[in-house]
């Protein structure tokens, strides 16, 4: 069950124009750096990107915005990104903002084969427009929920800390974030890892994403792991 | 009148031993600094961490370890990491005891607006809509009036809503108020602030019953 | 955040007659042995038990059947249990059989604050009777699903391998099974562990169930860990 | 006529390199023994394991390590453990390439009955209903006729259904058949079995086109 590919170029080689891709990460933490670089190099266009954030001007998905490869972003928070703002205001870029928990759960739904889920997030706000609303009794109280649909993504691209050639993945700290759900949700899932080990090396109890969800895996290189907001305290 | 630190200190008094707490960006983040020593409180960060600690010492920052505000942080003993689906799962299933967040406007029925200003670039709601839709106890840290002196405690929010009928308590530079079915109930005045000043700064229904004590903050 | 209690008796002391309780485990693997013994000792009656299986005659939930403490079992497979069969046929015991994945997912739904989920399991069978059926398009094909409701359990009792005083849990091998979802789903969750360690001992990346879901934890004793079907192969 | 081993051997030929496979209890369990050496196949056990290995050696059995049939087992390199929700999640999202299970009855439209006999003690459906409702490829290992000689390949199942329109292929002691919109399509005869014998043993619509080869099993 060897799913190893040589590098990011090989992993993403069949991603075509107008594909829908999920990209793991929260802010710049746990993002598939190598794959993003490869997508920029390949120059694939018209992408719909499902990712919690859109990177910054010169890192993460921001790099794909610079090259105008992204047609649409589906995110919960698009943050501080001047090029993003320019493209959005000029109408070059379409943006769908959805609550972060809804984003996570719509990924999970896809991975768990659930066509739709119910969440209270967005009830009574503009988010509910066009969505089915439904009341359920929860803890003895009637409460309204929105029906949200599972995502349907051609590719999911995730970044893990360690992985093996079966595609088993282990994430590190808060770099886990959206990666496990997106790994489950992609029709084709590509995983890049900091360290690729032979099957049997990872403790089966420690694996966060079983290899069945992962179609291609490679060991990335030159991880920058940029910090978006370095906050420290004084010593002593 | 309270400054930001004062608001954070006052909110910290609402935290009880054994609480799991989610702190929003801005003033709510400061609250962590004023949780009484010895109190067992676990901070949840919705990007996938229970047991958030203080900022790291210079040089100890770890790119893989950030909070929901994307700041480098540390963990405390007993912490755990999990994915975003589980994180919002525990929020939706009301395992988080208290959520503290900022707001642009709150209405007297507990609606909150804090994510979008028409005409301005929208950055997104992040996890705020999930938090306000599910949290069992929401305290809002906010300014009572805007820079033009206009009330932000309204009969009805004018900005696009983040969530409805969810805010339980508000701490501003002027006052502490509960949100009740009858409107804002004034609980405490900030040091040096009169009931009259609070009345003038509040457009929504305001309930004032009996003597309103001045708040006590160390 | 010390959630440690002395033992099973203390952990279950407020479980009253007619409570609905979830019990983790698959077969006899990963079952909360100590808590079951304590429930038998306490003699609490009229219980509704949500558990994948019902134990065997003289072990697991079977012990609570012998003492007629169970009013209703909600399970996917009740297996070989003579006393169970006797009580079922005599009408003393009510049984609701539901598909295993539905059972797991209804627990997960409760833990994730989702009032209901959709699953195709049982469509076209007697399981669909009385349930809402709905069509969704999945991978371009229309498919029918049943709406299944999140469980509403007063208590969840789970068994983990290791735990700490914050309630963080780590499971071992296939003893994990239903335990993590049930831990998330109980209004009050009780965890018994083979080894209880101080907070900070367990690697935060290895924790399967974060402590926020667990209300009481204790180190169990005298685990029998009975094997239901010992199957071996000859050496060499 | 095939014995149980023969059925298992014939089904093993349906397994392709790179498959994730879920094996039901009974004959399907035997299939694992006949997967060609060198073929990369991962066995899923729905109680929470990918990478199931053979039974342990005497004395090595581990109470925490069982399969869905509650038998003690082992793991192979590359295995992973997960909870039941994720296990059925991967089944529902069709990540498992092939599901092999037993049946009491199959109808010529692919309905399957394998969990309940009216009047007999019901043990439960376990994971069978989830598997048949979601699996992208289901092969059934079953007896063509019951002990009374009555066909179990029917126009319509008489026993309570486990799932509808889901079975893709059937391997019995007599034959290999595909389930098509037009009914059972006879693909292969068991050694020594005639087309006539299969016809007589099949009550559902049976399609016989051209010469039906005898199956080849080592």
């Amino acid at each position: 069950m060897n799913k190893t590919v040589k590098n990011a170029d090989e992993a993403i080689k069949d991603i075509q124009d107008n594909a829908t891709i999920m990209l793991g990460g929260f802010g710049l933490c746990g993002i598939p750096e190598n794959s993003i670089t490869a997508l920029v190099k390949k120059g694939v266009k018209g992408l719909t990107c499902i990712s919690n954030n859109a990177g910054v001007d010169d890192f993460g998905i921001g790099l794909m915005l610079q090259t105008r490869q992204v047609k649409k972003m589906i995110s919960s928070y698009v943050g501080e990104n001047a090029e993003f703002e320019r493209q959005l205001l000029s109408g070059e870029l379409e943006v769908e903002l959805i609550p972060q928990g809804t984003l996570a759960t719509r990924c999970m739904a896809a991975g768990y084969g659930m066509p739709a889920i119910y969440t209270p997030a967005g009830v009574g706000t503009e988010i509910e427009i066009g969505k089915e609303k439904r009341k359920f009794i929860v803890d003895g109280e009637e409460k309204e929920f929105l029906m949200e649909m599972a995502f349907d993504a051609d590719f999911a691209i995730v970044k893990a800390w360690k992985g093996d050639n079966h595609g088993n993945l282990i994430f590190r700290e808060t770099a886990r974030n959206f990666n496990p759900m997106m790994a489950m949700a992609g029709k084709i899932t590509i995983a890049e890892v900091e360290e690729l080990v032979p099957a049997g090396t990872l403790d089966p109890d420690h694996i966060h994403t079983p290899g069945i969800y992962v179609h291609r895996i490679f060991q990335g290189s030159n991880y920058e792991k940029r910090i978006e907001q370095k906050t420290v305290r004084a010593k002593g | 009148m309270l400054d930001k630190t004062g608001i954070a200190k006052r909110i910290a008094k609402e935290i009880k031993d054994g609480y799991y707490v989610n702190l929003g960006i801005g003033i709510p983040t400061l609250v962590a600094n004023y949780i009484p020593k010895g109190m067992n409180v676990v901070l949840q960060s919705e990007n996938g961490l229970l047991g958030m600690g203080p900022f790291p010492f210079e040089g100890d920052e770890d790119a893989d370890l950030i909070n929901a505000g994307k700041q480098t942080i540390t963990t405390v003993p007993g912490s755990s990491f999990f994915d975003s689906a589980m994180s919002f799962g525990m929020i939706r299933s009301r395992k988080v005891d208290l959520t503290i967040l900022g707001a642009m406007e709150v209405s007297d029925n507990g609606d909150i607006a804090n994510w979008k200003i028409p005409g301005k670039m929208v950055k997104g709601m992040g996890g705020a809509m999930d938090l306000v839709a599910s949290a069992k106890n929401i305290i809002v840290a906010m300014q009572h009036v805007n820079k033009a002196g206009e009330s932000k405690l309204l009969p009805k929010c004018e900005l696009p809503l983040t969530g409805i009928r969810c805010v339980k308590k508000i701490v501003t530079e002027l006052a502490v108020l509960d949100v009740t079915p009858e409107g804002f109930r004034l609980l405490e005045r900030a040091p040096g602030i009169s009931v009259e000043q609070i009345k003038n700064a509040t457009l929504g229904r305001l309930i004032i019953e009996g003597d309103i004590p001045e708040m006590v903050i160390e």
Side-chain angles (χ1 to χ4, degrees), chain A, chain B:
Chain A
M1 208 57 96
N2 190 6
K3 298 172 178 179
T4 310
V5 295
K6 210 169 54 193
N7 54 29
D9 296 327
E10 192 184 332
I12 62 125
K13 69 173 181 227
D14 57 348
I15 299 187
Q16 302 298 330
D17 287 356
N18 304 309
T20 296
I21 59 177
M22 293 177 161
L23 294 120
F26 181 93
L28 302 179
C29 180
I31 62 172
E33 295 184 20
N34 280 233
S35 299
I36 290 171
T37 304
L39 285 167
V40 169
K41 190 169 139 201
K42 182 173 156 78
V44 58
K45 298 237 184 290
L47 298 174
T48 295
C49 292
I50 302 169
S51 186
N52 190 55
N53 312 92
V56 293
D57 271 322
D58 62 342
F59 201 60
I61 294 175
L63 296 170
M64 287 158 52
L65 291 166
Q66 295 285 352
T67 46
R68 309 213 188 157
Q69 295 175 264
V70 182
K71 183 179 68 186
K72 181 175 180 182
M73 281 297 315
I74 300 175
S75 303
S76 87
Y77 190 84
V78 290
E80 352 290 322
N81 191 319
E83 176 61 18
F84 184 98
E85 189 163 348
R86 193 197 63 68
Q87 288 184 24
L88 180 58
L89 295 174
S90 73
E92 289 167 70
L93 180 66
E94 196 185 334
V95 176
E96 188 181 334
L97 291 169
I98 61 178
Q100 194 175 139
T102 302
L103 182 65
T105 314
R106 288 176 66 188
C107 292
M108 186 182 78
Y112 276 15
M114 304 189 294
I117 56 102
Y118 289 98
T119 175
V123 167
T125 77
E126 64 185 58
I127 295 302
E128 75 173 35
I129 296 168
K131 284 175 191 154
E132 186 176 314
K133 246 200 305 194
R134 183 160 180 159
K135 287 178 180 154
F136 290 95
I137 307 284
V138 176
D139 290 338
E141 270 179 63
E142 197 175 65
K143 189 171 165 128
E144 279 192 309
F145 292 81
L146 302 183
M147 187 170 81
E148 298 276 5
M149 308 308 287
F151 279 124
D152 187 9
D154 301 310
F155 291 88
I157 308 180
V158 303
K159 155 73 175 24
W161 181 40
K162 291 184 181 180
D164 69 22
N165 51 310
H166 280 219
N168 293 303
L169 304 178
I170 293 178
F171 303 93
R172 183 169 177 271
E173 300 177 342
T174 56
R176 193 182 318 181
N177 56 64
F178 285 83
N179 284 297
M181 284 91 60
M182 289 184 172
M184 294 191 297
K187 283 204 186 58
I188 301 284
T189 292
I190 296 164
E192 56 175 270
V193 298
E194 292 181 52
E195 192 186 347
L196 185 63
V197 299
T201 311
L202 305 174
D203 184 330
D205 277 327
H206 294 170
I207 288 165
H208 297 125
T209 297
I212 194 171
Y213 286 114
V214 175
H215 302 86
R216 301 167 196 165
I217 189 166
F218 66 93
Q219 181 167 311
S221 55
N222 302 313
Y223 282 103
E224 184 177 338
K225 296 175 82 165
R226 194 187 291 188
I227 289 174
E228 199 162 346
Q229 289 202 46
K230 181 176 147 176
T231 44
V232 295
R233 64 189 148 135
K235 268 195 182 146
Chain B
M1 194 179 314
L2 298 181
D3 58 7
K4 287 181 178 181
T5 304
I7 294 174
K9 281 184 176 175
R10 177 59 190 80
I11 290 178
K13 292 175 72 176
E14 300 292 322
I15 295 176
K16 295 195 174 74
D17 195 47
Y19 263 19
Y20 288 92
V21 181
N22 182 293
L23 301 176
I25 294 165
I27 298 177
T29 303
L30 300 176
V31 173
N33 301 327
Y34 306 107
I35 297 168
K37 298 271 173 237
M39 194 178 270
N40 293 299
V41 173
V42 174
L43 300 180
Q44 198 247 18
S45 191
E46 68 264 27
N47 56 319
L49 167 63
L50 274 166
M52 179 164 61
F55 294 150
F57 292 121
E58 175 77 38
D60 288 348
E61 63 276 6
D62 177 347
D64 288 340
L65 184 48
I66 64 171
N67 65 16
K70 281 129 193 163
Q71 299 169 312
T72 48
I73 46 152
T74 57
T75 58
V76 297
S79 66
S80 57
F81 296 108
F82 37 85
D83 64 41
S84 304
M86 182 181 271
S87 184
F88 285 94
M90 65 182 66
I91 287 167
R92 269 199 307 269
S93 67
R94 312 188 125 201
K95 302 295 176 182
V96 176
D97 298 291
L98 177 61
T99 293
I100 302 170
L101 73 174
M104 299 167 183
E105 293 177 354
V106 172
S107 72
D108 61 21
N109 68 348
D111 292 355
I112 180 170
N114 73 349
W115 78 286
K116 188 177 185 178
I117 301 177
K120 282 205 180 177
M121 172 68 187
V122 179
K123 298 193 167 171
M125 67 292 280
M129 280 194 182
D130 306 274
L131 283 160
V132 301
S134 296
K136 56 185 172 192
N137 189 7
I138 297 177
I139 301 181
V140 164
M142 68 186 293
Q143 297 301 316
H144 215 110
V145 295
N146 65 17
K147 281 165 191 162
E150 295 162 342
S151 178
K152 297 164 80 174
L153 277 68
L154 304 171
K156 195 170 180 309
C157 291
E158 287 161 14
L159 295 172
L161 293 178
T162 310
I164 56 171
R165 294 185 295 277
C166 53
V167 176
K168 296 283 188 290
K169 196 180 278 272
I170 304 167
V171 179
T172 75
E173 76 280 17
L174 304 181
V176 179
L177 310 101
D178 264 356
V179 180
T180 74
E182 292 75 38
F184 301 117
R185 177 184 300 274
L186 183 58
L187 298 178
E188 297 172 20
R189 295 171 292 111
I193 299 295
S194 69
V195 167
E196 204 56 25
Q197 284 173 294
I198 295 164
K199 259 191 192 169
N200 291 339
T202 308
L203 267 185
R205 290 171 297 160
L206 182 65
I207 305 160
I208 301 164
E209 284 177 353
D211 272 353
I212 305 299
E214 195 173 282
M215 61 181 86
V216 180
I217 300 175
E218 292 90 61

